[in-house]
């Protein structure tokens, strides 16, 4: 049975009259979207603020946990690559789930993905200003409120995105290059300085704290380091030969990030002389390693953190807002989001609304802290809390996509169905997602983490209810899901 979405939409089927608005096609190469994907992962930002908790949870063998997470993310990458090869779309997961399960699932996924990514990006937006504040206080003693820097950096990032996808993607790539150079230099310097105490202990399963349970507990933290790996799929419409290049960018990015995180984590554990209690007590362990190793030149580590947050801001909003844009273009969300700038071909309404909503979430979260505890909101605490809640929603989208892959290929491309690629690997991917979901949702967690699973469940039920009503009101929605194929003429 042919894929009905492979032929473009009929003029009458879109959410607005006439042909749907399209982004500028074929202006990005594989290297561009791979760089944007790795910039979205933000290795410096993610590692700076995530590894202390991971090290405390998994122990000396935390680098081994990262290896396991890299394998799990590669399984998810297989799903994204196979879907993008068959049906490249700016809608990414929304399109893939919707084509497999129908319009109700598409609208539900659009709402969950949109909300999850906005909450996750709110964490990044907050920590961007927070890291500037940390840097200035360390070197100058200046204590300007972090929210000021957050607004400035966010304004710069949005300005670059509105200028066009080529300009913003190039800048995200430049920022990523700087942070990677810094991370590698500091890591190699730390390993060289501690060459006399190098050991294979961090890669031995017997040194994971509490054995298999410790590995499982640290696993979701390690997986979170990779969030953003799916960036390139949402850029499919603007990529040359997306059926080939999106998959290549996905696997290349995951491989580079896995090897890099192994290097950074090994250097950090070694730099702390395998003292995980001391590592866990450090505010930003990698910064401590840089100061210990490079002395006065440690400021380059701060530069790496700053460029990382900027890269994540640009690359993350760029790709994630395109999911919202495509949902608006196809009628899954209000048509307002489906607007494209007539000259730059950028989804301006989606970008601005996505960013503004994230800022509103930051403001609401801050107000809650002020009213609840009588103190100011710490951006580092907000980063941890918001990223945890956002991750639950995003993992649900990953889960649905892995379940959808074998059904999609069986229904639309049975002649291309391969048991390992389209059934076995996504099935293992489902199991890999269930582990972090369990640890993020399990009972007995401290507040506010204990109510996050209920908030996610409420969001899921509300999304299904809204999707059901929308599809009843608009039966033509089923024909529009995935109707705009990235490489269509």
């Amino acid at each position: 049975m042919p894929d009905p979405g492979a032929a473009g939409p009929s003029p009458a089927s879109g959410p607005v009259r006439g042909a749907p608005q399209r982004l500028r096609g074929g202006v990005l190469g594989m290297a561009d979207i791979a760089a944007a994907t790795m910039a979205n992962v933000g290795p410096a930002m993610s590692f700076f603020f995530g590894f202390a908790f991971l090290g405390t949870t998994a122990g000396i063998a935390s680098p081994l946990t990262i290896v396991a997470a890299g394998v799990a993310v590669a399984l998810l990458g297989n799903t994204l690559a196979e879907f993008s090869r068959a049906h490249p779309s700016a809608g990414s997961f929304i399109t893939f789930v919707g084509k497999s399960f129908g319009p109700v699932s598409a609208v539900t996924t659009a709402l969950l993905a949109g909300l999850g990514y906005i909450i996750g990006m709110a964490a990044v937006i907050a920590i961007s200003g927070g890291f500037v504040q940390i840097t200035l206080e360390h070197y100058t003693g200046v204590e300007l409120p972090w929210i000021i820097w957050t607004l400035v950096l966010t304004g710069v990032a949005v300005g670059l995105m509105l200028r066009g996808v080529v300009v913003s993607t190039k800048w995200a790539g430049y920022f990523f290059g700087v942070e990677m150079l810094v991370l590698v230099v500091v890591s190699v310097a730390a390993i060289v300085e501690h060459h006399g105490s190098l050991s294979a202990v961090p890669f031995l399963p017997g040194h994971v704290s509490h054995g298999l349970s410790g590995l499982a507990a640290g696993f979701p933290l390690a997986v979170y380091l990779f969030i953003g790996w799916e960036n390139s799929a949402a850029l499919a419409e603007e990529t040359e030969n997306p059926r080939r290049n999106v998959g290549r960018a996905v696997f290349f990015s995951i491989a580079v990030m896995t090897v890099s995180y192994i290097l950074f984590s090994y250097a950090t554990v070694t730099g702390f002389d395998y003292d995980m209690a001391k590592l866990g007590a450090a505010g930003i362990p990698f910064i401590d390693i840089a100061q210990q190793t490079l002395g006065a030149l440690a400021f380059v580590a701060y530069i790496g953190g700053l460029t990382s947050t900027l890269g994540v801001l640009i690359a993350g909003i760029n790709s994630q807002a395109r999911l919202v844009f495509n949902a608006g273009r196809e009628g899954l969300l209000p048509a307002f989001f489906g607007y494209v700038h007539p000259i730059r071909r950028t989804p301006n309404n989606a970008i601005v609304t996505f960013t503004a909503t994230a800022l509103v979430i930051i403001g609401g979260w801050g107000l809650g802290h002020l009213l609840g505890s009588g103190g100011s909101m710490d951006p580092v605490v907000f980063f941890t809390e918001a990223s945890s809640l956002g991750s639950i929603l995003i993992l649900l989208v990953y889960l649905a996509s892995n379940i959808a892959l074998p059904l999609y290929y069986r229904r639309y491309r049975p002649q291309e169905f391969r048991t390992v690629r389209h059934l076995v690997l996504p099935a293992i991917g489902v199991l890999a997602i269930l582990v972090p979901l369990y640890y993020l949702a399990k009972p007995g967690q401290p507040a506010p983490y204990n109510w996050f699973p209920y908030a996610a469940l409420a969001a899921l039920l509300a999304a299904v209810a809204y999707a059901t009503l929308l599809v009843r009101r608009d039966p033509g929605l089923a024909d529009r899901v995935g109707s705009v194929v990235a490489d269509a003429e």
Side-chain angles (χ1 to χ4, degrees), residues 190-418:
I191 290 173
V192 170
E193 182 168 311
H194 293 81
H195 67 277
S197 59
L198 297 182
S199 168
V201 166
F203 301 104
L204 300 178
H207 290 273
V208 176
S209 294
H210 309 296
L212 187 60
S213 63
L215 178 65
F219 183 71
L221 303 173
V223 169
Y224 181 75
L225 296 178
F226 290 86
I227 291 292
W229 63 269
E230 67 275 31
N231 174 288
S232 56
L235 300 176
E237 190 169 326
E238 293 144 299
T239 302
E240 59 182 6
N241 196 354
R243 295 180 188 272
R244 180 192 65 184
N245 286 336
V246 168
R248 289 184 175 183
V250 166
F251 286 121
F252 178 79
S253 302
I254 293 171
V256 171
M257 288 296 93
T258 301
V259 173
S260 299
Y261 279 139
I262 292 171
L263 171 64
F264 308 153
S265 60
Y266 183 74
T268 304
V269 170
T270 301
F272 275 87
D273 296 318
Y274 310 106
D275 186 339
M276 302 312 291
K278 184 178 177 182
L279 187 152
I284 305 177
F286 195 83
I287 292 290
D288 289 359
I289 293 299
Q291 292 171 339
Q292 170 191 319
T293 305
L294 302 180
L297 296 178
F299 74 90
V300 299
Y302 286 93
I303 293 175
L306 292 173
T307 57
S308 181
T309 56
L310 278 169
V312 177
L313 274 178
I314 296 171
I317 297 175
N318 242 351
S319 67
Q320 293 156 20
R322 277 160 171 75
L323 272 68
V324 176
F325 153 75
N326 191 72
R329 176 172 60 178
E330 295 181 351
L332 282 65
L333 295 177
F336 167 82
F337 297 114
Y339 167 79
V340 171
H341 189 278
I343 298 175
R344 298 188 178 95
R345 311 308 298 169
T346 50
N348 287 10
N349 290 356
I351 291 172
V352 173
T353 306
F354 185 100
T355 308
T357 305
L359 290 171
V360 169
I361 290 173
I362 294 173
W365 212 297
L367 183 62
H369 274 260
L370 288 172
L371 296 177
S373 61
S376 61
M377 185 179 73
D378 184 340
V380 177
V381 173
F382 175 75
F383 176 83
T384 305
E385 293 176 353
S387 58
S388 296
L389 177 56
S391 293
I392 295 175
L393 299 174
I394 295 169
L395 285 171
L396 289 174
V397 174
Y398 290 172
L399 182 64
S401 300
N402 274 267
I403 296 173
L405 183 65
L407 300 178
Y408 177 89
Y409 267 84
R410 274 296 189 188
R411 181 178 183 184
Y412 293 123
R413 296 173 175 266
Q415 72 282 2
E416 299 176 23
F417 182 86
R418 300 294 181 271

Side-chain angles (χ1 to χ4, degrees), residues 42-53:
M45 183 197 71
S46 300
F47 192 78
F48 281 9
F49 297 102
F51 188 68
F53 195 17

